[in-house]
Amino acid sequence: MNDDTNRKRRSGGRAGHKTRAGTAVLDQMSWRIPVNTDRPTEPLDADGVLAIHRGAMRILSEIGIEILHPDAVAIFKQAGCIVNGTNVRMDETFVMAMLARAPAQFTITPRNPEREIILGGRHMVFVNVSSPPNAWDMERGKRSGDFETFKEFIKLTQYFNCIHVAGGYPVEPIDIHPSVRHLDCLYEKLTLTDKVVHAYSLGAERVEDVMEMVRIAGGLTHAEFDAKPRMYTNINSVSPLKHDYPMLDGAMRLARRGQPVVVTPFTLAGAMAPVTMAGAVALSLAEGLSAIALLQYIKPGCPVMIGTFTSNVDMKSGAPAFGTPEYMRATQMTGQLARFYKLPLRSSGVCAANIPDGQAMWETSNSLWASVQSQTNMVYHAAGWLEGGLIASPEKFIMDCEILQMIQRYFEPSITATADDDIALDAIREVGPGGHYFGCQHTQDRYATAFYAPMVSDWRNYEAWQIDGAVWTVERAHRLYKQIIAEFEAPAMNEDHREELQRFVARRKQEGGAPTDF
Amino acid sequence: MNDDTNRKRRSGGRAGHKTRAGTAVLDQMSWRIPVNTDRPTEPLDADGVLAIHRGAMRILSEIGIEILHPDAVAIFKQAGCIVNGTNVRMDETFVMAMLARAPAQFTITPRNPEREIILGGRHMVFVNVSSPPNAWDMERGKRSGDFETFKEFIKLTQYFNCIHVAGGYPVEPIDIHPSVRHLDCLYEKLTLTDKVVHAYSLGAERVEDVMEMVRIAGGLTHAEFDAKPRMYTNINSVSPLKHDYPMLDGAMRLARRGQPVVVTPFTLAGAMAPVTMAGAVALSLAEGLSAIALLQYIKPGCPVMIGTFTSNVDMKSGAPAFGTPEYMRATQMTGQLARFYKLPLRSSGVCAANIPDGQAMWETSNSLWASVQSQTNMVYHAAGWLEGGLIASPEKFIMDCEILQMIQRYFEPSITATADDDIALDAIREVGPGGHYFGCQHTQDRYATAFYAPMVSDWRNYEAWQIDGAVWTVERAHRLYKQIIAEFEAPAMNEDHREELQRFVARRKQEGGAPTDF
């Protein structure tokens, strides 16, 4: 390690300064792990919680779940579950004993330890949009994802302090061959951001490569990597009632090394789940809990989360709907069950809208407020998602970040403080009837931090807004997006670690990357 | 009354059928008074509630409030309050004794008794946008309000079942002389709608005229009108700490006849209220409770509501901000105090945005969800408001109605029901792993009513949406607006009552209407 690198590591140095300078496009909120101060919204009474719990347990003990990974089937059998081919049935006693092993809260520490996140309790973190095959922006419209667009979204992910996690690929870069895509993508994620990253559970090689890259980027020994959570994966079941091979394989690999696994069934009521929301939630829980039970049997105490992705289809067209009243209630109900099981919860910021317009924002608002109401700990797709997850949009990303910042501000206890200074009787006496509070000392002492300061919202009156070009929200967001990308500077990184990462990627590419017949 | 009129009254007849036919533009939800099933969000603990209560009481007992109506001052004096010129100070004992007289819940019955509303408890009703001086639509942009535009909004108000009240003028018709404006406007409101209407407290003549017109439109004797609430007024204080003459005058006239009064201070933190939200809420409550105490002294048990309109200004520009985190918390805090005082609550659906775009919808969503969280009973400006209340927009009206319908659906307990049929174990067993729920009997039995059906949202995928013209939400709303206005048919009305109303308006116009130097 040369002196220059050393200096950077100690102080942030020039690169650290650049990073700070790079955030000057916007006056955004500082990094924080928000703490949800609201009592959760609970549509179910205690009997309702038990009814859904018992439903999930009866699904697992009477109907069973297809486990398409032979090792996993063998492990379930060893644990005393009833195995018939790929069908595994497990009883409540086993499932609850396994769930009792799971931690209620854990951390994940990325290469920059200041970006450590807490998952569980009342903590809440926001993840960028993950996995759309397409991108849309105002200039280029809808198109397939590519690597350049991927990098743009990774820069947005790093830029916004209200985004805590660089989750799945914000858009799928189809111009990179699938055998090496994970190498190129993770290299960008680990160098353009210093936030927690994610591995897709799509075959052993990808998962092992990503774990190794996270280890290298952090300058960690293997023992240091294994000592605590450094990254995570998210797996989906194939609803109804099936866990496929690659997802289970990746989940077991991570669990064995103490890295967190989020299990998120995707249950659309009326399609791959019952048309009744309680049934869809019970099915989703059965699928999620079965995988968590497996992981806790393999590695007692390994960090896991239960995810919810229960929405409904439009019964006229079969199209998935998001941010609906049914979606909100399903998320709240799953939150109640997650607390019943003492598991951290993942939900999402979602919409069915195709472009970042009014519909997009009311659907997204509904889903983000449902994440607050359900005491969600990790909000996937919190910024940038459109068309039910088929499109990632930079304008939507920025518009969503405004909502996320408002949620963060909403949680600040200072807003609802009621000390004598907050009641402000002296100021009210001083200003008196008919007066004005702009000039009084009580206001002067507090005005700089008293209120939420917007990023992309325009609070001017119509005439001022019109003279300035009558720019609608989506166009304002587009301009900010271009400016952020143009002025982006990557966070500081140890050069030795970067070079080792480059060597690893080169070597693995030479070896052919990962097989693509998974 | 001729036979034809009689037939209409009994059955709805041809006009009744027309009304139903007129609702065919959209497949909207049926009329209902929603019941808020959520436990309210309560950022204050018991000490916090008491701190704000004590603050409000100290404002009233130590600082006092300016009462610019001599009769009201005399009444306060008679009640034992301390009067110095126009300054009135009242102690907690008096205020609390007066508040104890107010009903926790009451009804208002318009000319069509099926449109009766309930105000209080967990009931929630939605009011159209009220009082903007300007209108905006996609065709004509921003312009001053006129009578034709006024009528369009009244038609939208009647058309949507999720709008329960025809509140203030949805746009100010400046082409009608102020002396007779209330006569023309109320005639349209009372004939184009059959919902609860409102009187502006702007001078004795206007208030008396509106009460008389409501009586005539309903075919009521004076005794029948006085027997229960038939309409209402909303008054604002002149914050800080002033009640002006015309507002108090109208409020006292309505209270004496048992008609409801909503008292809504407009306290922008940092401008006409302290920069701290608890201080702004305490000031707002002091202003509101003082007027309610006056009305309860005059007419014990008269129906009243406390309103909240506490938001903040942008400290950079002084511009009012709406739908902010501070607005949400102020609304929730006021909800806690309204329940402490056992008074029904009014809040609003608001935004600072100038056009019905993304910002408009996240700000409006924030404020509407705050109305749910605060257990608001009457939501003013629930549809159609822009630019901090300076613009009414038909597109925004329709977009907001989608959110209101989703809130109504969100309250339906069937979504979170957990009976055996809802858990759907038999359906889950029948479909099994890897199957599909579209075809199963459990789905077939329920699909028609299982999920919220949207009005203006487009849930199709991008390609289907694009082939159909790539129409953004605001344009879809514009088309619906034009179609609703084109096909609108007024609700049934007794012809004798309509003719009497016409004669009354003609006579009062001949007499010169109301003085305009109030």
Side-chain angles (χ1 to χ4, degrees):
Chain A
M1 193 186 299
N2 63 32
D3 281 346
D4 185 56
T5 309
N6 205 16
R7 187 176 60 78
K8 278 185 196 166
R9 288 190 77 193
R10 279 199 314 272
S11 65
R14 186 164 153 250
H17 178 69
K18 275 187 192 168
T19 307
R20 285 191 298 277
T23 64
V25 177
L26 282 176
D27 186 18
Q28 62 170 317
M29 271 181 160
S30 58
W31 167 274
R32 88 268 311 267
I33 305 296
V35 174
N36 185 342
T37 49
D38 277 4
R39 188 167 55 180
T41 301
E42 304 200 315
L44 301 175
D45 60 14
D47 286 345
V49 170
L50 281 178
I52 291 181
H53 163 64
R54 289 196 191 111
M57 293 301 122
R58 288 188 63 190
I59 291 167
L60 289 177
S61 63
E62 297 177 19
I63 302 169
I65 183 159
E66 297 292 306
I67 301 291
L68 303 186
H69 193 302
D71 294 355
V73 172
I75 291 164
F76 273 122
K77 193 165 194 172
Q78 182 195 327
C81 300
I82 300 169
V83 171
N84 278 302
T86 53
N87 181 279
V88 176
R89 286 185 286 152
M90 58 198 83
D91 64 23
E92 177 171 350
T93 309
F94 167 73
V95 174
M96 294 304 281
M98 293 303 104
L99 297 186
R101 297 176 172 184
Q105 183 171 312
F106 58 89
T107 61
I108 309 181
T109 313
R111 69 174 175 89
N112 177 357
E114 290 174 17
R115 303 293 195 193
E116 180 174 279
I117 61 172
I118 310 172
L119 295 162
R122 290 182 168 272
H123 300 93
M124 189 172 197
V125 299
F126 301 121
V127 187
N128 62 347
V129 59
S130 299
S131 310
N134 307 295
W136 180 97
D137 67 44
M138 281 192 78
E139 254 177 83
R140 293 173 284 185
K142 183 176 178 178
R143 64 197 192 285
S144 291
D146 60 32
F147 197 42
E148 281 311 301
T149 310
F150 170 91
K151 283 188 260 188
E152 286 190 355
F153 279 104
I154 292 297
K155 290 173 183 174
L156 293 177
T157 297
Q158 173 65 14
Y159 179 81
F160 283 99
N161 294 327
C162 62
I163 302 296
H164 304 94
V165 177
Y169 306 159
V171 72
E172 197 69 40
I174 61 160
D175 50 344
I176 308 284
H177 192 273
S179 61
V180 297
R181 192 180 292 168
H182 66 291
L183 298 168
D184 283 338
C185 287
L186 263 292
Y187 179 80
E188 298 300 331
K189 280 169 78 168
L190 288 166
T191 54
L192 291 177
T193 88
D194 59 1
K195 298 179 179 177
V196 167
V197 302
H198 150 281
Y200 282 104
S201 284
L202 293 173
E205 293 79 4
R206 286 183 180 78
V207 168
E208 298 291 348
D209 282 348
V210 173
M211 284 197 283
E212 187 62 3
M213 290 176 75
V214 169
R215 187 191 67 76
I216 293 168
L220 304 170
T221 65
H222 287 277
E224 283 169 343
F225 179 86
D226 291 354
K228 63 177 183 173
R230 304 288 185 177
M231 41 77 74
Y232 75 100
T233 192
N234 178 85
I235 67 168
N236 309 114
S237 41
V238 183
S239 301
L241 291 176
K242 206 180 277 187
H243 281 295
D244 73 6
Y245 183 94
M247 292 281 182
L248 285 177
D249 193 71
M252 291 191 289
R253 285 174 191 277
L254 260 74
R256 288 192 170 103
R257 293 189 67 183
Q259 303 302 314
V261 177
V262 185
V263 186
T264 312
F266 179 26
T267 48
L268 281 177
M272 52 279 234
V275 72
T276 44
M277 299 318 287
V281 168
L283 178 69
S284 175
L285 287 167
E287 294 176 4
L289 298 179
S290 63
I292 288 173
L294 171 71
L295 301 176
Q296 293 301 332
Y297 185 80
I298 292 172
K299 174 90 171 180
C302 65
V304 292
M305 298 182 80
I306 185 86
T308 172
F309 218 106
T310 300
S311 192
N312 60 285
V313 292
D314 178 9
M315 293 308 293
K316 285 176 194 152
S317 64
F322 293 102
T324 59
E326 292 79 13
Y327 174 91
M328 296 181 78
R329 289 302 194 191
T331 306
Q332 294 167 357
M333 288 193 280
T334 307
Q336 290 189 260
L337 272 295
R339 289 188 293 283
F340 176 80
Y341 297 123
K342 299 188 173 59
L343 293 173
L345 175 67
R346 175 217 137 157
S347 70
S348 304
V350 286
C351 64
N354 294 309
I355 22 76
D357 64 351
Q359 178 189 335
M361 298 325 291
W362 74 58
E363 290 176 337
T364 299
S365 291
N366 281 359
S367 64
L368 290 175
W369 284 110
S371 75
V372 171
Q373 295 161 339
S374 60
Q375 215 172 92
T376 287
N377 303 108
M378 179 189 245
V379 185
Y380 245 65
H381 314 298
W385 149 304
L386 283 174
E387 202 200 355
L390 297 177
I391 291 177
S393 155
E395 294 90 350
K396 177 74 168 19
F397 197 110
I398 290 170
M399 292 161 72
D400 289 343
C401 282
E402 182 89 285
I403 301 179
L404 299 180
Q405 284 208 153
M406 286 195 286
I407 289 173
Q408 294 194 156
R409 167 65 181 161
Y410 170 88
F411 289 147
E412 289 181 3
S414 62
I415 307 178
T416 56
T418 55
D420 285 353
D421 262 13
D422 301 303
I423 304 293
L425 198 72
D426 291 340
I428 293 168
R429 199 190 310 274
E430 178 193 332
V431 172
H436 210 289
Y437 286 80
F438 267 133
C440 80
Q441 195 58 45
H442 184 265
T443 303
Q444 292 298 312
D445 291 345
R446 291 164 180 80
Y447 80 92
T449 57
F451 307 129
Y452 175 70
M455 291 192 300
V456 66
S457 297
D458 191 329
W459 289 353
R460 293 173 300 176
N461 67 19
Y462 189 92
E463 285 65 34
W465 169 83
Q466 193 173 36
I467 286 168
D468 201 26
V471 183
W472 288 46
T473 302
V474 63
E475 171 72 24
R476 294 197 301 273
H478 183 77
R479 293 178 188 180
L480 284 173
Y481 140 62
K482 302 295 272 191
Q483 202 182 340
I484 290 167
I485 299 302
E487 299 181 15
F488 181 82
E489 297 186 51
M493 186 171 189
N494 179 299
E495 279 306 320
D496 293 348
H497 302 163
R498 185 200 301 273
E499 282 163 24
E500 193 182 343
L501 203 55
Q502 284 169 337
R503 285 194 298 274
F504 177 84
V505 168
R507 175 170 68 77
R508 288 289 297 122
K509 282 188 175 182
Q510 273 209 319
E511 293 168 1
T516 54
D517 60 343
F518 55 84
Chain B
M1 192 188 296
N2 61 33
D3 281 346
D4 186 54
T5 309
N6 205 16
R7 188 175 60 78
K8 278 186 199 168
R9 289 189 77 192
R10 278 199 314 271
S11 67
R14 187 163 153 249
H17 178 70
K18 274 188 192 167
T19 307
R20 285 192 297 275
T23 64
V25 177
L26 282 177
D27 186 17
Q28 63 170 318
M29 272 182 159
S30 57
W31 166 273
R32 88 269 312 268
I33 305 296
V35 175
N36 184 342
T37 49
D38 278 4
R39 188 166 56 180
T41 301
E42 304 200 316
L44 301 175
D45 60 15
D47 286 345
V49 170
L50 282 179
I52 291 181
H53 163 64
R54 288 195 190 109
M57 294 300 119
R58 288 188 63 190
I59 292 166
L60 289 177
S61 63
E62 296 176 20
I63 301 169
I65 184 159
E66 297 291 305
I67 301 292
L68 303 185
H69 192 301
D71 293 355
V73 172
I75 292 164
F76 274 122
K77 194 165 193 173
Q78 183 195 327
C81 300
I82 299 169
V83 171
N84 279 301
T86 53
N87 181 278
V88 176
R89 286 187 285 150
M90 58 198 84
D91 63 21
E92 178 171 349
T93 309
F94 168 71
V95 174
M96 294 304 282
M98 293 303 105
L99 297 186
R101 295 176 172 184
Q105 182 172 312
F106 57 89
T107 61
I108 309 182
T109 313
R111 69 175 175 89
N112 177 358
E114 289 173 18
R115 303 293 196 193
E116 180 174 277
I117 61 171
I118 310 172
L119 296 161
R122 291 183 168 271
H123 300 93
M124 189 173 198
V125 299
F126 301 121
V127 186
N128 62 346
V129 59
S130 299
S131 309
N134 308 297
W136 180 98
D137 67 44
M138 283 193 78
E139 254 177 83
R140 293 172 285 186
K142 184 177 178 179
R143 63 198 193 285
S144 292
D146 59 32
F147 197 43
E148 280 312 302
T149 310
F150 170 92
K151 283 189 260 189
E152 286 190 355
F153 280 105
I154 292 297
K155 289 173 183 173
L156 292 177
T157 297
Q158 173 65 16
Y159 180 81
F160 284 100
N161 293 328
C162 62
I163 302 295
H164 305 94
V165 177
Y169 306 159
V171 72
E172 197 70 38
I174 62 161
D175 51 344
I176 308 284
H177 193 274
S179 61
V180 297
R181 192 180 292 168
H182 66 290
L183 298 168
D184 284 336
C185 286
L186 263 291
Y187 179 81
E188 298 300 331
K189 280 168 79 166
L190 287 166
T191 54
L192 290 178
T193 89
D194 59 1
K195 297 179 179 177
V196 167
V197 302
H198 151 279
Y200 283 104
S201 284
L202 292 172
E205 293 79 3
R206 285 182 181 77
V207 169
E208 298 292 347
D209 282 347
V210 173
M211 286 197 282
E212 187 63 5
M213 289 176 75
V214 170
R215 187 190 68 75
I216 293 168
L220 305 170
T221 64
H222 287 277
E224 284 169 343
F225 179 86
D226 291 355
K228 63 177 183 172
R230 304 287 185 178
M231 41 78 75
Y232 74 102
T233 191
N234 179 84
I235 67 167
N236 309 114
S237 41
V238 183
S239 300
L241 291 176
K242 205 182 277 185
H243 282 295
D244 74 4
Y245 183 94
M247 291 280 181
L248 285 176
D249 193 72
M252 291 191 289
R253 283 175 194 276
L254 259 74
R256 287 191 170 104
R257 293 189 67 181
Q259 303 302 314
V261 177
V262 186
V263 186
T264 312
F266 179 27
T267 50
L268 281 177
M272 52 277 235
V275 73
T276 45
M277 299 317 288
V281 168
L283 179 69
S284 175
L285 286 167
E287 294 176 5
L289 297 179
S290 63
I292 289 173
L294 171 71
L295 300 176
Q296 293 301 331
Y297 186 80
I298 293 172
K299 174 88 171 183
C302 65
V304 292
M305 298 183 81
I306 186 84
T308 173
F309 218 106
T310 300
S311 192
N312 60 284
V313 292
D314 178 9
M315 292 309 291
K316 286 178 196 152
S317 65
F322 293 101
T324 59
E326 293 80 12
Y327 174 91
M328 296 181 78
R329 288 302 193 191
T331 306
Q332 294 168 357
M333 288 194 279
T334 307
Q336 290 189 259
L337 271 295
R339 290 188 292 282
F340 176 81
Y341 297 122
K342 298 188 172 60
L343 292 173
L345 176 67
R346 174 216 137 157
S347 70
S348 303
V350 286
C351 64
N354 293 309
I355 23 74
D357 65 352
Q359 178 189 335
M361 298 326 291
W362 73 59
E363 291 176 336
T364 299
S365 290
N366 281 0
S367 65
L368 289 175
W369 284 110
S371 75
V372 172
Q373 296 162 338
S374 61
Q375 214 173 90
T376 288
N377 302 109
M378 179 189 246
V379 185
Y380 245 65
H381 313 298
W385 149 304
L386 284 175
E387 202 201 356
L390 296 177
I391 290 177
S393 155
E395 295 90 350
K396 176 75 167 21
F397 197 110
I398 290 169
M399 292 161 73
D400 289 343
C401 282
E402 182 89 283
I403 302 180
L404 299 180
Q405 283 207 153
M406 286 195 285
I407 290 173
Q408 293 194 154
R409 166 65 180 161
Y410 170 88
F411 290 146
E412 289 181 3
S414 63
I415 306 179
T416 56
T418 56
D420 285 351
D421 262 12
D422 302 304
I423 304 293
L425 199 70
D426 291 340
I428 294 168
R429 197 189 312 272
E430 176 192 334
V431 172
H436 211 289
Y437 287 80
F438 267 135
C440 82
Q441 194 59 44
H442 183 265
T443 304
Q444 292 298 313
D445 291 344
R446 291 163 181 81
Y447 80 93
T449 56
F451 307 129
Y452 175 72
M455 291 191 301
V456 67
S457 297
D458 191 328
W459 289 352
R460 293 173 299 175
N461 67 18
Y462 189 92
E463 284 66 33
W465 169 82
Q466 193 174 36
I467 286 168
D468 201 26
V471 183
W472 289 45
T473 303
V474 63
E475 172 71 26
R476 294 197 300 273
H478 183 78
R479 293 178 188 178
L480 284 173
Y481 140 63
K482 301 296 274 191
Q483 201 183 340
I484 290 167
I485 298 302
E487 300 181 14
F488 182 83
E489 297 184 51
M493 187 172 190
N494 178 301
E495 279 306 321
D496 294 347
H497 302 163
R498 184 200 301 273
E499 283 164 22
E500 193 182 342
L501 203 56
Q502 284 169 337
R503 285 194 298 274
F504 177 84
V505 169
R507 175 170 68 77
R508 288 288 297 122
K509 282 188 174 181
Q510 273 210 318
E511 292 168 2
T516 54
D517 60 343
F518 56 84

